[in-house]
Amino acid sequence: MVIKKKDLTVDSVFSVEVPGYGYILAQLRDDHCMDFFDNLKDVDDWYGEDLNEREILFTIVVASRRLLKLFKSNVTSVVKVNTRPRCLIALRFSEELRATTKMPGLSLVKHDPVYNPNNKNVLIPLLDPVLHKEILYSYEYWGMHGNPKEILERITCYYETGVNFDKSKMILYPELAPPPKEYRKVSYSPNCFDDSL
């Protein structure tokens, strides 16, 4: 089945083939975000799959039309879509340059309940790779992702090594090693829309 632009609607769910491992699912949300699930199966058969019960591997902002080649099949009609509320805390480029690299670092920001890249509350203006290592490991960079090969490499790396990490963070933080195998991400606020972190 060929996935077309007209298939890219809110809450549409697609399978992604992970060569040598099987298939997982990805769901397009209503604000250009996409959830990728840790629900690997040997066959591309998803009848009755409830995504509310599956762990999310990562959520990123995507240029979905550029990802058409990533998707194997549209399974929206046979699965129960994920409707869990999301915590829109993410990483963005900092306004400050890092002294060691002379490049921007990353800041921790909280977005409104409906994601808008222009509406954000900066929680930590410039993350330090030692003081904020757990934050760098646990939160995703929410710039626009549109390279199917890079996304598939990240998914494949997870199933090969047990490490779930966006290696592009190491460009801005070259001293930051990837997290250990099967690292569990941390969440810093039970209610991500209050003003405490």
Side-chain angles (χ1 to χ4, degrees):
M1 172 190 300
V2 176
I3 309 300
K4 299 182 179 179
K5 291 178 183 178
K6 66 180 179 64
D7 297 317
L8 301 173
T9 58
V10 173
D11 286 334
S12 52
V13 180
F14 306 99
S15 66
V16 175
E17 184 174 6
V18 186
Y21 292 92
Y23 302 85
I24 66 167
L25 294 182
Q27 178 180 327
L28 188 62
R29 302 301 293 255
D30 60 358
D31 44 22
H32 303 288
C33 291
M34 181 162 272
D35 297 331
F36 290 84
F37 294 88
D38 185 9
N39 60 343
L40 188 68
K41 289 180 66 172
D42 292 336
V43 294
D44 193 18
D45 180 6
W46 301 98
Y47 184 81
E49 180 84 353
D50 185 351
L51 293 178
N52 295 287
E53 298 177 356
R54 298 299 179 190
E55 185 173 344
I56 295 173
L57 192 57
F58 57 88
T59 299
I60 54 176
V61 177
V62 297
S64 55
R65 293 183 178 195
R66 294 178 59 190
L67 299 184
L68 291 172
K69 292 181 180 178
L70 181 66
F71 306 135
K72 184 73 173 175
S73 58
N74 186 336
V75 298
T76 310
S77 63
V78 299
V79 302
K80 186 173 182 180
V81 300
N82 179 37
T83 59
R84 289 171 285 186
R86 291 172 299 152
C87 183
L88 299 186
I89 295 179
L91 305 177
R92 297 301 299 257
F93 282 128
S94 65
E95 294 183 6
E96 300 176 54
L97 297 181
R98 296 190 64 219
T100 55
T101 63
K102 308 300 185 203
M103 295 190 302
L106 293 170
S107 57
L108 184 69
V109 300
K110 181 172 71 172
H111 291 281
D112 291 338
V114 175
Y115 172 72
N116 179 331
N118 299 314
N119 296 335
K120 58 185 182 291
N121 176 24
V122 178
L123 302 172
I124 303 175
L126 181 61
L127 297 170
D128 178 89
V130 176
L131 294 176
H132 304 117
K133 180 172 70 172
E134 300 295 330
I135 292 173
L136 288 165
Y137 284 168
S138 297
Y139 289 94
E140 297 294 334
Y141 169 67
W142 274 19
M144 189 65 72
H145 296 265
N147 187 324
K149 183 179 178 183
E150 288 179 1
I151 295 171
L152 187 57
E153 283 175 355
R154 176 174 176 178
I155 296 167
T156 303
C157 180
Y158 171 70
Y159 288 110
E160 284 178 353
T161 67
V163 176
N164 179 15
F165 185 60
D166 177 3
K167 291 181 180 177
S168 67
K169 294 175 188 175
M170 294 166 61
I171 295 171
L172 301 177
Y173 293 90
E175 67 273 56
L176 182 70
K181 183 178 180 180
E182 298 177 357
Y183 173 82
R184 301 297 295 178
K185 294 181 179 183
V186 295
S187 176
Y188 287 86
S189 176
N191 179 357
C192 67
F193 296 116
D194 64 22
D195 290 326
S196 63
L197 183 70

